[in-house]
PDB file of all heavy atoms in Angstrom:
ATOM      1  N   LYS A 159    -128.514 -51.699  62.458  1.00  0.00           N
ATOM      2  CA  LYS A 159    -128.604 -50.983  63.733  1.00  0.00           C
ATOM      3  C   LYS A 159    -129.945 -51.262  64.410  1.00  0.00           C
ATOM      4  O   LYS A 159    -130.038 -51.319  65.631  1.00  0.00           O
ATOM      5  CB  LYS A 159    -128.458 -49.465  63.525  1.00  0.00           C
ATOM      6  CG  LYS A 159    -127.051 -49.043  63.228  1.00  0.00           C
ATOM      7  CD  LYS A 159    -126.172 -49.050  64.483  1.00  0.00           C
ATOM      8  CE  LYS A 159    -124.722 -48.823  64.123  1.00  0.00           C
ATOM      9  NZ  LYS A 159    -123.791 -49.191  65.196  1.00  0.00           N
ATOM     10  N   MET A 160    -130.959 -51.406  63.586  1.00  0.00           N
ATOM     11  CA  MET A 160    -132.284 -51.701  64.146  1.00  0.00           C
ATOM     12  C   MET A 160    -132.406 -53.172  64.524  1.00  0.00           C
ATOM     13  O   MET A 160    -133.419 -53.581  65.087  1.00  0.00           O
ATOM     14  CB  MET A 160    -133.381 -51.339  63.139  1.00  0.00           C
ATOM     15  CG  MET A 160    -133.646 -49.836  63.063  1.00  0.00           C
ATOM     16  SD  MET A 160    -135.114 -49.469  62.107  1.00  0.00           S
ATOM     17  CE  MET A 160    -134.472 -49.464  60.468  1.00  0.00           C
ATOM     18  N   GLY A 161    -131.402 -53.930  64.158  1.00  0.00           N
ATOM     19  CA  GLY A 161    -131.390 -55.342  64.516  1.00  0.00           C
ATOM     20  C   GLY A 161    -132.276 -56.200  63.635  1.00  0.00           C
ATOM     21  O   GLY A 161    -132.662 -57.298  64.006  1.00  0.00           O
ATOM     22  N   LEU A 162    -132.631 -55.679  62.457  1.00  0.00           N
ATOM     23  CA  LEU A 162    -133.516 -56.440  61.571  1.00  0.00           C
ATOM     24  C   LEU A 162    -132.728 -57.424  60.709  1.00  0.00           C
ATOM     25  O   LEU A 162    -133.258 -58.447  60.297  1.00  0.00           O
ATOM     26  CB  LEU A 162    -134.323 -55.495  60.674  1.00  0.00           C
ATOM     27  CG  LEU A 162    -135.345 -54.624  61.424  1.00  0.00           C
ATOM     28  CD1 LEU A 162    -135.963 -53.603  60.479  1.00  0.00           C
ATOM     29  CD2 LEU A 162    -136.446 -55.497  62.035  1.00  0.00           C
ATOM     30  N   ILE A 163    -131.484 -57.080  60.392  1.00  0.00           N
ATOM     31  CA  ILE A 163    -130.643 -57.989  59.609  1.00  0.00           C
ATOM     32  C   ILE A 163    -129.277 -58.088  60.289  1.00  0.00           C
ATOM     33  O   ILE A 163    -128.911 -57.221  61.095  1.00  0.00           O
ATOM     34  CB  ILE A 163    -130.466 -57.505  58.148  1.00  0.00           C
ATOM     35  CG1 ILE A 163    -129.981 -56.038  58.142  1.00  0.00           C
ATOM     36  CG2 ILE A 163    -131.741 -57.668  57.357  1.00  0.00           C
ATOM     37  CD1 ILE A 163    -129.548 -55.550  56.779  1.00  0.00           C
ATOM     38  N   THR A 164    -128.559 -59.123  59.966  1.00  0.00           N
ATOM     39  CA  THR A 164    -127.235 -59.268  60.564  1.00  0.00           C
ATOM     40  C   THR A 164    -126.146 -59.009  59.533  1.00  0.00           C
ATOM     41  O   THR A 164    -125.043 -58.596  59.869  1.00  0.00           O
ATOM     42  CB  THR A 164    -127.046 -60.677  61.135  1.00  0.00           C
ATOM     43  OG1 THR A 164    -127.416 -61.624  60.131  1.00  0.00           O
ATOM     44  CG2 THR A 164    -127.886 -60.878  62.383  1.00  0.00           C
ATOM     45  N   GLN A 165    -126.451 -59.249  58.247  1.00  0.00           N
ATOM     46  CA  GLN A 165    -125.446 -59.057  57.205  1.00  0.00           C
ATOM     47  C   GLN A 165    -125.908 -57.991  56.226  1.00  0.00           C
ATOM     48  O   GLN A 165    -127.113 -57.811  56.017  1.00  0.00           O
ATOM     49  CB  GLN A 165    -125.259 -60.363  56.452  1.00  0.00           C
ATOM     50  CG  GLN A 165    -124.276 -61.293  57.150  1.00  0.00           C
ATOM     51  CD  GLN A 165    -123.739 -62.298  56.179  1.00  0.00           C
ATOM     52  OE1 GLN A 165    -124.491 -62.845  55.380  1.00  0.00           O
ATOM     53  NE2 GLN A 165    -122.433 -62.558  56.227  1.00  0.00           N
ATOM     54  N   ASN A 166    -124.948 -57.306  55.621  1.00  0.00           N
ATOM     55  CA  ASN A 166    -125.298 -56.321  54.593  1.00  0.00           C
ATOM     56  C   ASN A 166    -126.089 -56.979  53.464  1.00  0.00           C
ATOM     57  O   ASN A 166    -125.818 -58.122  53.100  1.00  0.00           O
ATOM     58  CB  ASN A 166    -124.018 -55.721  53.997  1.00  0.00           C
ATOM     59  CG  ASN A 166    -123.512 -54.575  54.849  1.00  0.00           C
ATOM     60  OD1 ASN A 166    -124.115 -54.246  55.877  1.00  0.00           O
ATOM     61  ND2 ASN A 166    -122.411 -53.992  54.433  1.00  0.00           N
ATOM     62  N   ILE A 167    -127.040 -56.221  52.927  1.00  0.00           N
ATOM     63  CA  ILE A 167    -127.794 -56.729  51.784  1.00  0.00           C
ATOM     64  C   ILE A 167    -126.986 -56.468  50.530  1.00  0.00           C
ATOM     65  O   ILE A 167    -126.463 -55.361  50.331  1.00  0.00           O
ATOM     66  CB  ILE A 167    -129.169 -56.041  51.676  1.00  0.00           C
ATOM     67  CG1 ILE A 167    -129.971 -56.270  52.952  1.00  0.00           C
ATOM     68  CG2 ILE A 167    -129.934 -56.534  50.457  1.00  0.00           C
ATOM     69  CD1 ILE A 167    -131.226 -55.435  53.035  1.00  0.00           C
ATOM     70  N   ASP A 168    -126.907 -57.448  49.654  1.00  0.00           N
ATOM     71  CA  ASP A 168    -126.169 -57.280  48.404  1.00  0.00           C
ATOM     72  C   ASP A 168    -127.136 -56.757  47.344  1.00  0.00           C
ATOM     73  O   ASP A 168    -127.653 -57.507  46.535  1.00  0.00           O
ATOM     74  CB  ASP A 168    -125.588 -58.628  47.987  1.00  0.00           C
ATOM     75  CG  ASP A 168    -124.599 -58.446  46.845  1.00  0.00           C
ATOM     76  OD1 ASP A 168    -124.302 -57.278  46.514  1.00  0.00           O
ATOM     77  OD2 ASP A 168    -124.134 -59.460  46.310  1.00  0.00           O
ATOM     78  N   PHE A 169    -127.374 -55.437  47.414  1.00  0.00           N
ATOM     79  CA  PHE A 169    -128.424 -54.854  46.560  1.00  0.00           C
ATOM     80  C   PHE A 169    -128.151 -55.052  45.078  1.00  0.00           C
ATOM     81  O   PHE A 169    -129.028 -55.468  44.331  1.00  0.00           O
ATOM     82  CB  PHE A 169    -128.559 -53.359  46.834  1.00  0.00           C
ATOM     83  CG  PHE A 169    -129.252 -53.056  48.119  1.00  0.00           C
ATOM     84  CD1 PHE A 169    -128.538 -52.601  49.213  1.00  0.00           C
ATOM     85  CD2 PHE A 169    -130.618 -53.223  48.240  1.00  0.00           C
ATOM     86  CE1 PHE A 169    -129.169 -52.310  50.401  1.00  0.00           C
ATOM     87  CE2 PHE A 169    -131.249 -52.940  49.429  1.00  0.00           C
ATOM     88  CZ  PHE A 169    -130.534 -52.481  50.512  1.00  0.00           C
ATOM     89  N   LEU A 170    -126.938 -54.708  44.651  1.00  0.00           N
ATOM     90  CA  LEU A 170    -126.685 -54.710  43.214  1.00  0.00           C
ATOM     91  C   LEU A 170    -125.922 -55.946  42.753  1.00  0.00           C
ATOM     92  O   LEU A 170    -125.647 -56.096  41.572  1.00  0.00           O
ATOM     93  CB  LEU A 170    -125.920 -53.439  42.815  1.00  0.00           C
ATOM     94  CG  LEU A 170    -126.677 -52.143  43.122  1.00  0.00           C
ATOM     95  CD1 LEU A 170    -125.836 -50.938  42.748  1.00  0.00           C
ATOM     96  CD2 LEU A 170    -128.009 -52.102  42.386  1.00  0.00           C
ATOM     97  N   GLY A 171    -125.624 -56.854  43.684  1.00  0.00           N
ATOM     98  CA  GLY A 171    -124.859 -58.043  43.297  1.00  0.00           C
ATOM     99  C   GLY A 171    -125.731 -59.242  43.041  1.00  0.00           C
ATOM    100  O   GLY A 171    -125.349 -60.156  42.321  1.00  0.00           O
ATOM    101  N   ASP A 172    -126.920 -59.229  43.577  1.00  0.00           N
ATOM    102  CA  ASP A 172    -127.837 -60.352  43.401  1.00  0.00           C
ATOM    103  C   ASP A 172    -128.792 -60.032  42.261  1.00  0.00           C
ATOM    104  O   ASP A 172    -129.228 -58.883  42.091  1.00  0.00           O
ATOM    105  CB  ASP A 172    -128.619 -60.554  44.705  1.00  0.00           C
ATOM    106  CG  ASP A 172    -129.690 -61.605  44.558  1.00  0.00           C
ATOM    107  OD1 ASP A 172    -129.360 -62.791  44.669  1.00  0.00           O
ATOM    108  OD2 ASP A 172    -130.865 -61.210  44.300  1.00  0.00           O
ATOM    109  N   VAL A 173    -129.131 -61.044  41.469  1.00  0.00           N
ATOM    110  CA  VAL A 173    -129.926 -60.817  40.254  1.00  0.00           C
ATOM    111  C   VAL A 173    -131.224 -60.068  40.544  1.00  0.00           C
ATOM    112  O   VAL A 173    -131.476 -58.997  39.989  1.00  0.00           O
ATOM    113  CB  VAL A 173    -130.222 -62.168  39.558  1.00  0.00           C
ATOM    114  CG1 VAL A 173    -131.257 -61.978  38.461  1.00  0.00           C
ATOM    115  CG2 VAL A 173    -128.940 -62.764  38.999  1.00  0.00           C
ATOM    116  N   TRP A 174    -132.064 -60.624  41.409  1.00  0.00           N
ATOM    117  CA  TRP A 174    -133.369 -59.980  41.632  1.00  0.00           C
ATOM    118  C   TRP A 174    -133.252 -58.732  42.483  1.00  0.00           C
ATOM    119  O   TRP A 174    -133.949 -57.757  42.265  1.00  0.00           O
ATOM    120  CB  TRP A 174    -134.374 -60.972  42.208  1.00  0.00           C
ATOM    121  CG  TRP A 174    -134.934 -61.804  41.094  1.00  0.00           C
ATOM    122  CD1 TRP A 174    -134.548 -63.057  40.752  1.00  0.00           C
ATOM    123  CD2 TRP A 174    -135.913 -61.402  40.132  1.00  0.00           C
ATOM    124  NE1 TRP A 174    -135.229 -63.487  39.640  1.00  0.00           N
ATOM    125  CE2 TRP A 174    -136.077 -62.488  39.238  1.00  0.00           C
ATOM    126  CE3 TRP A 174    -136.654 -60.235  39.925  1.00  0.00           C
ATOM    127  CZ2 TRP A 174    -136.972 -62.441  38.172  1.00  0.00           C
ATOM    128  CZ3 TRP A 174    -137.554 -60.188  38.870  1.00  0.00           C
ATOM    129  CH2 TRP A 174    -137.701 -61.283  38.003  1.00  0.00           C
ATOM    130  N   ASN A 175    -132.343 -58.771  43.468  1.00  0.00           N
ATOM    131  CA  ASN A 175    -132.121 -57.546  44.245  1.00  0.00           C
ATOM    132  C   ASN A 175    -131.764 -56.387  43.330  1.00  0.00           C
ATOM    133  O   ASN A 175    -132.260 -55.273  43.482  1.00  0.00           O
ATOM    134  CB  ASN A 175    -130.969 -57.753  45.241  1.00  0.00           C
ATOM    135  CG  ASN A 175    -131.457 -58.444  46.495  1.00  0.00           C
ATOM    136  OD1 ASN A 175    -132.649 -58.692  46.625  1.00  0.00           O
ATOM    137  ND2 ASN A 175    -130.532 -58.759  47.389  1.00  0.00           N
ATOM    138  N   ALA A 176    -130.870 -56.670  42.365  1.00  0.00           N
ATOM    139  CA  ALA A 176    -130.425 -55.616  41.456  1.00  0.00           C
ATOM    140  C   ALA A 176    -131.598 -55.095  40.628  1.00  0.00           C
ATOM    141  O   ALA A 176    -131.771 -53.890  40.446  1.00  0.00           O
ATOM    142  CB  ALA A 176    -129.334 -56.148  40.534  1.00  0.00           C
ATOM    143  N   ARG A 177    -132.430 -56.033  40.156  1.00  0.00           N
ATOM    144  CA  ARG A 177    -133.575 -55.599  39.345  1.00  0.00           C
ATOM    145  C   ARG A 177    -134.492 -54.681  40.151  1.00  0.00           C
ATOM    146  O   ARG A 177    -134.881 -53.617  39.697  1.00  0.00           O
ATOM    147  CB  ARG A 177    -134.367 -56.810  38.861  1.00  0.00           C
ATOM    148  CG  ARG A 177    -133.720 -57.458  37.645  1.00  0.00           C
ATOM    149  CD  ARG A 177    -134.516 -58.648  37.158  1.00  0.00           C
ATOM    150  NE  ARG A 177    -133.772 -59.298  36.087  1.00  0.00           N
ATOM    151  CZ  ARG A 177    -133.739 -60.597  35.907  1.00  0.00           C
ATOM    152  NH1 ARG A 177    -134.389 -61.411  36.715  1.00  0.00           N
ATOM    153  NH2 ARG A 177    -133.061 -61.105  34.908  1.00  0.00           N
TER     154      ARG A 177
END
Side-chain angles (χ1 to χ4, degrees):
Chain A
K159 286 284 172 196
M160 283 190 276
L162 293 173
I163 52 170
T164 50
Q165 276 201 317
N166 276 0
I167 301 170
D168 191 7
F169 285 106
L170 299 178
D172 174 82
V173 169
W174 279 99
N175 277 356
R177 280 181 186 143

